[in-house]
Every structure is written in C-alpha cells, then in structure tokens.
Amino acid sequence: MENVQAIKRRFEIIGNDPKLNRAIEKAIQVAPTDISVLVTGESGVGKESIPRIIHSLSHRKHGKYIAVNCGAIPEGTIDSELFGHEKGAFTGAVGTREGYFEEANGGTIFLDEVGELPLTTQVRLLRILENGEFLKVGSSKVQKTDIRIIAATNVNMLDSIAKGKFREDLYYRLSTVEITLPPLRERGEDIHLLFRKFSSDFAHKYNMPPIRLSTDATNYLLRYRWNGNIRQLRNVAEEISVLETNREINLQTLQSYLPNHNKQLPSVINQKKSENDFSSEREILYKILFDMRNDLTDLKKLTLELLKHDKGQVQETNQPLIQRIFGGKSNDTIDYSDNPNDILQIENKNNHSSSTFHPTIIDDTIEDDDDYLIAETVEDEPLNLEEQEVELIKRALDRNNGKRKVAAEELGISERTLYRKIKQYNL
C-alpha cells in the first residue's frame, strides 16, 4: 500500500498540514473496502481528490469512476440522470436511457454536493445503499447494481437533518466513514507552498517569469481568511501572473487583488462581535415580549374598569391609558389589588359604602358573538361560579316575569344560551 507522501505526489496534492495528512491516511485505509464514505469540508478545499484516491486504490480501479455534481442537475431531471428512464416516462423521453448507477456498475460513483439532493431522490439513493436495487423512472422492473458510493458536501448535515432537508437514515448510511478536509486558512505554511506552485504553473503556461511575494505580502497571504479556499488562491495567483508586469509583488499590490482585504485572521474579534450582535437581537426580542405582557396586563385592568364605566367608576392609575383610547378625563377611582383577577374593592362616591366586585364569566364556551355574560354581584358571602351563574339567571327571569328573550338581552347572552342554561340548572 502506498504511503501518504507517495499519494500526494501521484495526485499532485501540495501541503504538509497534519489534518490534510490524516484525511489522506483515512482514504488509503478505507480504499480496499466497499463501505460508503462521506467527504466533508468547505467549498474549494479539494474534496474531489479523496474519491479519486479511494477509487484508484480499491479493487474497483478497473471499473468506471463517475463524478456527479448533484447541485448542478435540475430537480426535475436528477432522477433520470442518476437512475435512467424508460421511453415515454415523461415529455421528451423519446427512448430508454441508462442512468449513472447503471452505467457505473462494478465501479465507483462520486456524488458531489449530496446535501442538495431532493428528498424523493434521497429515498431512491437509500434503497441502493441498502440492497443495491433501483427503479428507472417510468419502470416497475427492479434492477440491481454493484456500485460503491462516495459522497461529498460543504453543508452541515446535522443542521440539514434538523431542518428536514436531509434524511437522517441516509446520512448515517453515507457516513460509515467520514473524512474531513481542513479549510485553507487552517493549513499555515501550506498557503504559501500552494501559491508558489500555482505561480510556477502559470508562468510555464503563459511563458513568463513566475511572480514572487515580498515578506510583507507573504505574511499577509498567511493571515488572509480565504473564504474560497484553494480555488480562490489559485484564481488570485493566475490573475496576478497575467496582469502584473512587475514580477515582484508587494503588500499593496496583493491587497488590490483580494476582496475585503481588511477581513483577516484571527477571527476572534469577529466571533465576539457576532455574539454581541446575537445578544442584542435577543434583548430586543425580550423587550418586545415584556412590553406585550405589560400591555396585556393594562388591557385586563382596563376591561375591568370599563365594567364599572356605567357607574362612573374609573381606575385613576390607568387614566392615561383610558384617555389615549377614549379621550377625556375621569375623576372616579377604583382601588384594586395588583392582580386584576382578585376581588375589587369599589368606593361608591354616591353612598360612600363599600361593596365587593366579582367579575364572573357565565359561559366560557362562546357560541355566538354575544354568547357570554360578564356580571357583577354584591354578596355578603362569596359564591362559586356556578352558584353565581344560577343566581343571576334566576334574578333576570324574575325581573322579566319569565320572559327568556328579555332576560337574555339583560344578561348579555343569546336566547339559545339562556335556554341551555335553564335546562342545565333545571330552573
């Protein structure tokens, strides 16, 4: 079995980072088996090298190797591309077509950006992983394939699973062995090695002297974030090689080719800033919820005060709120406890006597717009809700000589609800 250095020379992999070496070691170890492999890492880190290493060292190396970019195939045609279709299966299917899984039988298929697969396609892929069976689009005939699947993704698969975008069972079938490639910004001196390699390649390609970086430019190169990773570094090296006539590249020249060059590593400050931003948003949300709770409390208090409005009794402490809604002023007061649901002690200015107010909901199952009753009772002894309800209905019927329609209007409920209450309480 070839060692790591031999593999790097064979596949032109530049760098000595320990994380990179560990990823290549895992690829070498897993290659002789047929188990599925999931390659993870940011976009542009070179994930496509790992499947080629695995295929070349496996017993399938004489079979076909097909690389498929799942994110580049439209959702409506991806099933046909992967599994094939029968003639007439859909508009435009003028003949039978073999899919990649049928064509690569006995070899290896590399599914790049597997996280972009539609959920319906994920179900088909899971079946192949479990028993090697698949159906062509428009066919009912089960076919078998002997294929090894290697997948790659640059998204957080656990987040995708939590959001319902990727099947959890498929993830665990694909990631029997997971190989992670580090981002370029974590590879230290590998950045300069790669830049020199790219500069040399482009000098040979365009028949010109290679570019060289000053000390300041080299240090800046190592500190830059490289969100596009190796792909971005290669593009920058090519652009400078073609456009700059002076082959000695200083810091200012290098910065002119880097977008957002002021965003460098370390990123600790950016992380703190992000946490503070999140904290600020969370505090704003808490403040909104707190204000909503206060408004709801004020609304409860106002509702209770409006029940006494016909007697000219308005809570003095909530006059600004009432004035904002209704306008005008009131000199009447209600003295009640902090909890709006507690019994209210009402000072009657006309007779200077005190009474106890019980806001009572007769029927909390509202059937019509007026299918409710809120009443006040003056009692020497507290009654439960049912007893208060019966007493109020009796009084209303007595005052109206048993006329249910008039009594219902007085109570503020529908006649149908009153009739139901009469039957319920056997009045």
Side-chain angles (χ1 to χ4, degrees), residues 5-15 49 52 194 197-198 201:
Q5 294 303 322
I7 289 296
K8 287 197 288 188
R9 287 193 299 270
R10 180 177 169 185
F11 290 91
E12 297 183 344
I13 298 175
I14 307 298
S49 299
R52 290 193 290 112
L194 284 165
K197 173 64 167 62
F198 294 146
D201 290 345

Side-chain angles (χ1 to χ4, degrees), residues 10 12 36 50 87 148 189 229 265 293 333 354 415:
R10 180 177 169 185
E12 297 183 344
S36 302
I50 299 299
K87 181 179 179 180
R148 182 179 195 168
E189 291 294 332
N229 293 291
L265 293 178
R293 187 188 67 177
T333 64
S354 63
E415 187 177 359

Side-chain angles (χ1 to χ4, degrees), residues 223-394:
R223 297 196 310 270
Y224 189 69
R225 188 160 186 83
W226 300 111
N227 291 326
N229 293 291
I230 299 174
R231 186 180 296 119
Q232 182 186 9
L233 180 66
R234 185 182 186 278
N235 291 343
V236 169
E238 184 172 18
E239 187 177 9
I240 296 175
S241 297
V242 172
L243 298 180
E244 289 298 322
T245 56
N246 186 359
R247 312 313 287 175
E248 296 289 338
I249 307 302
N250 58 28
L251 175 59
Q252 184 177 2
T253 302
L254 175 63
Q255 288 179 340
S256 66
Y257 287 91
L258 297 175
N260 301 321
H261 64 81
N262 57 329
K263 295 182 180 180
Q264 305 178 28
L265 293 178
S267 58
V268 177
I269 296 177
N270 291 336
Q271 291 176 354
K272 290 183 178 179
K273 183 174 183 291
S274 176
E275 291 172 1
N276 291 336
D277 290 344
F278 176 77
S279 178
S280 299
E281 292 177 1
R282 185 171 54 191
E283 289 174 1
I284 291 172
L285 181 60
Y286 286 162
K287 184 178 185 303
I288 292 173
L289 293 175
F290 183 76
D291 290 342
M292 289 175 63
R293 187 188 67 177
N294 289 341
D295 290 343
L296 184 59
T297 301
D298 290 342
L299 186 59
K300 287 181 180 179
K301 293 179 181 179
L302 179 59
T303 303
L304 295 174
E305 291 165 10
L306 292 177
L307 296 176
K308 305 303 300 175
H309 189 62
D310 57 340
K311 294 184 180 181
Q313 296 168 328
V314 182
Q315 173 60 19
E316 183 177 359
T317 59
N318 275 339
Q319 280 191 15
L321 178 61
I322 298 174
Q323 291 171 11
R324 288 201 307 271
I325 300 177
F326 297 100
K329 297 182 179 180
S330 174
N331 294 323
D332 301 321
T333 64
I334 299 176
D335 181 20
Y336 59 98
S337 59
D338 292 335
N339 187 349
N341 298 321
D342 290 344
I343 296 177
L344 307 180
Q345 299 297 329
I346 306 170
E347 289 296 330
N348 191 321
K349 288 189 174 183
N350 295 329
N351 54 19
H352 301 285
S353 63
S354 63
S355 59
T356 303
F357 171 61
H358 297 273
T360 306
I361 300 177
I362 296 298
D363 187 5
D364 58 358
T365 304
I366 299 177
E367 297 178 353
D368 300 315
D369 291 340
D370 61 346
D371 194 6
Y372 65 93
L373 175 61
I374 301 178
E376 56 183 72
T377 60
V378 180
E379 301 173 316
D380 295 333
E381 296 181 359
L383 300 175
N384 61 38
L385 291 177
E386 184 177 315
E387 291 172 341
Q388 293 181 49
E389 192 171 65
V390 171
E391 184 65 25
L392 288 172
I393 294 174
K394 284 182 178 179

Side-chain angles (χ1 to χ4, degrees), residues 132-151:
E133 296 179 349
F134 70 95
L135 291 172
K136 285 186 176 182
V137 178
S139 173
S140 58
K141 180 182 177 181
V142 177
Q143 295 185 240
K144 298 280 288 186
T145 183
D146 176 22
I147 199 168
R148 182 179 195 168
I149 298 176
I150 303 174

